């Protein structure tokens, strides 16, 4: 017998700066920054000799833009117009002193994280504490120690530039997330469309969605297949956040064509499983529930793959409609067709696995309780106040 | 979140993947690596069966369910059997919902 050989794959969490190889716009490491040509420094000091000295020190560091103010009022004004990356500020000045300048700068939300390096001849600990209390980021003594001063300026500028690049990066990501949210909103059925379809066919629908992150992989749709017959689909892509949203949009696109020609939900899911499993990307998976309601025959046909079981409320009873199998995309999804009566007064609850109920029995108990309290069931009454640990969609349909 | 532990051992024509900890979307890199490494390994070693020992798995989410399905598809392409051994209670719950035993062998 050959000796067992071991191959260990264990990976500790890696710090995010590895991502810089993926995008050149990702913020660089703080310690690497030596180029201060893009930095902007404001010097506020009433002593022209000191202003000259500080300017020369900044120029030696390669700082690109430096402006000076000879009093506190001008300093506050320049901070507003010049938008510096660092302020070097004297304390003792005629007019408003450096501490008041600090307070005024910090009062502006835009300057909450602005590095303010206060230089002061005041020696006591209490004086230094007062500087920090006024909003100083750092305090250096006058007369300045040049090596120490330049080291502090470099440190503050590096931090400021890194913070700025992080803020820019965040802004770009927010923009892309906004665009993604727009795409998703465009896919989801509008309130008007839902009202029109449901009123025409004798149903009432309520839906609540809560995403775990800024965007998510849950989508739902309603489609009128024929007079009296509507199809509701609920999709939960097997990913979170941006990846989940992209997958969900892609799968919904595949479903568009299938919805138009549907006659049974199980066939639609089987076709979708086949299409998804043959997609170039092998990572496309989703839990899907498809329910077809027929108001002429008072029936519902349903099939599901991977989602929690639908729950039917009928004649005061709440029961689980067992169905389901592997998520779609595997190529092995077994999606059986199920049929149940759906009479006036009956309600159906379908949901993704973001609803924090441990098992079907708990879901049934919750729905029972809400029915007792309110007489009817709605998605709003089922969604709790806590933020979800996974994307959540709850949809209820009532036959009028 | 702490990374899960995934150990792969080879004995004769059997490959055993021992998984421990929480398997979630946060560990997507480990999942992708597992799919690729396992694929290469079964070819190199001409393995006949891959066993997934899941006794120490605390939690498995939908993303890792899709990892298992990706492995299953690749193993089927290579005519290699895949068996889930000793799924923990959390894993069993998920497998019941998705009826995992309809597509592969699950041994308790």
């Amino acid at each position: 017998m050959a000796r067992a050989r071991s191959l260990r794959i264990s990976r500790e969490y890696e710090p995010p700066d590895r991502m810089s190889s993926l995008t050149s716009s990702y913020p660089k490491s703080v310690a690497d920054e030596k180029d201060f040509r893009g930095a902007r420094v404001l010097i506020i000091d009433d002593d022209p000799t000191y202003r000259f000295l500080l300017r020369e020190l900044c120029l030696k560091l390669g700082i690109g833009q430096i402006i000076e103010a000879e009093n506190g009022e001008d300093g506050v004004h320049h901070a507003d117009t010049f938008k510096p990356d660092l302020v070097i500020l004297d304390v003792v000045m005629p007019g408003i002193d450096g501490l008041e300048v600090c307070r005024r700068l910090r009062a502006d939300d835009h300057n909450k994280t602005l590095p303010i390096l206060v230089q002061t001849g005041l020696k006591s600990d209490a004086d230094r504490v007062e500087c920090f209390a006024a909003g100083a980021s750092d305090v250096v003594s006058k007369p300045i120690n040049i090596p120490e001063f330049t080291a502090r300026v470099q440190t503050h500028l590096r931090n400021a530039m890194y913070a700025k690049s992080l803020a820019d990066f965040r802004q770009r990501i927010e923009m892309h997330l906004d665009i993604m949210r727009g795409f998703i909103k465009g896919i989801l059925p509008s309130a008007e469309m839902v009202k029109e379809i449901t009123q025409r066919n004798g149903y009432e629908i309520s839906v609540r969605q809560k995403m775990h992150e800024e965007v998510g992989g849950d989508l739902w749709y309603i489609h009128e297949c024929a007079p009296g017959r509507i199809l509701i689909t609920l999709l939960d892509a097997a990913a979170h956040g941006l990846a989940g949203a992209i997958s969900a949009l892609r799968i919904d696109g595949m479903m568009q064509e299938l919805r138009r020609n549907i006659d049974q939900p199980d066939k639609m899911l089987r076709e979708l499983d086949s299409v998804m499993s043959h997609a170039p990307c092998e990572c496309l998976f989703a839990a899907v529930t498809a329910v077809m309601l027929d108001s002429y025959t008072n029936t519902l046909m349903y099939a599901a793959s991977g989602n929690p079981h639908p729950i039917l409320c009928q004649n005061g009873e709440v029961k689980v409609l067992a169905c389901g199998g592997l998520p779609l995309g595997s190529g092995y999804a077994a999606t059986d067709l199920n049929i149940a009566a759906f009479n006036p007064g009956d309600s159906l609850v379908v949901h993704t696995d973001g609803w924090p109920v441990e098992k079907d029995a708990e879901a049934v108990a919750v729905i029972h309780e809400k029915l007792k309290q309110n007489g009817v069931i709605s998605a709003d009454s089922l969604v709790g106040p806590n933020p979800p640990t996974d994307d959540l969609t709850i949809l209820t349909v009532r036959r009028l | 979140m702490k990374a899960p532990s995934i150990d792969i051992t080879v004995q004769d024509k059997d490959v055993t993947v021992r998984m421990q900890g929480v398997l979630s979307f946060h560990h997507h890199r480990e999942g992708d690596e597992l799919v690729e490494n396992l694929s290469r390994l079964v070819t190199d070693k001409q393995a006949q069966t891959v066993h997934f020992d899941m006794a120490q798995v605390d939690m498995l989410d939908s993303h890792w369910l899709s990892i298992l399905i990706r492995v299953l598809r690749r193993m089927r392409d290579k005519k290699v059997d895949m068996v889930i051994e000793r799924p923990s209670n959390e894993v069993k719950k998920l497998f019941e919902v998705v009826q995992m035993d309809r597509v592969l062998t699950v041994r308790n």
Side-chain angles (χ1 to χ4, degrees), chain A residues 43 48-58 144 146 149:
Chain A
I43 300 169
T49 310
Y50 245 88
R51 287 204 306 274
F52 174 80
L53 171 63
L54 296 176
R55 172 182 271 274
E56 287 302 304
L57 291 173
C58 288
I144 61 168
I146 291 177
F149 177 80

Side-chain angles (χ1 to χ4, degrees), chain B:
Chain B
M1 191 181 280
K2 194 175 164 211
S5 162
I6 303 171
D7 284 309
I8 303 181
T9 51
V10 180
Q11 187 150 7
D12 294 331
K13 299 290 183 191
D14 283 333
V15 173
T16 299
V17 182
R18 210 158 270 113
M19 305 167 104
Q20 268 186 289
V22 170
L23 299 168
S24 88
F25 176 63
H26 295 101
H27 313 115
H28 60 94
R29 265 189 222 163
E30 286 85 340
D32 289 341
E33 280 177 7
L34 175 64
V35 174
E36 296 303 326
N37 288 338
L38 210 46
S39 229
R40 266 197 302 274
L41 193 64
V42 299
T43 304
D44 291 348
K45 303 294 174 193
Q46 296 180 309
Q48 289 173 348
T49 310
V50 173
H51 304 263
F52 275 84
D53 183 340
M54 303 187 79
Q56 305 292 323
V57 172
D58 298 319
M59 197 269 282
L60 179 87
D61 72 356
S62 58
H63 179 81
W64 269 84
L65 183 62
S66 69
I67 298 287
L68 290 178
I69 295 170
R70 282 168 65 191
V71 170
L72 175 64
R73 276 166 40 180
R74 295 228 188 163
M75 296 304 110
R76 291 257 164 108
D77 285 345
K78 294 175 193 289
K79 311 259 188 290
V80 173
D81 287 329
M82 181 169 150
V83 179
I84 306 285
E85 309 270 9
R86 312 189 299 155
S88 64
N89 286 337
E90 281 301 314
V91 172
K92 266 193 221 164
K93 269 191 239 173
L94 176 61
F95 281 5
E96 269 169 33
V97 171
V98 302
Q99 297 174 26
M100 198 66 154
D101 57 341
R102 283 171 92 160
V103 291
L104 49 69
T105 308
V106 179
R107 287 193 202 131
N108 291 313

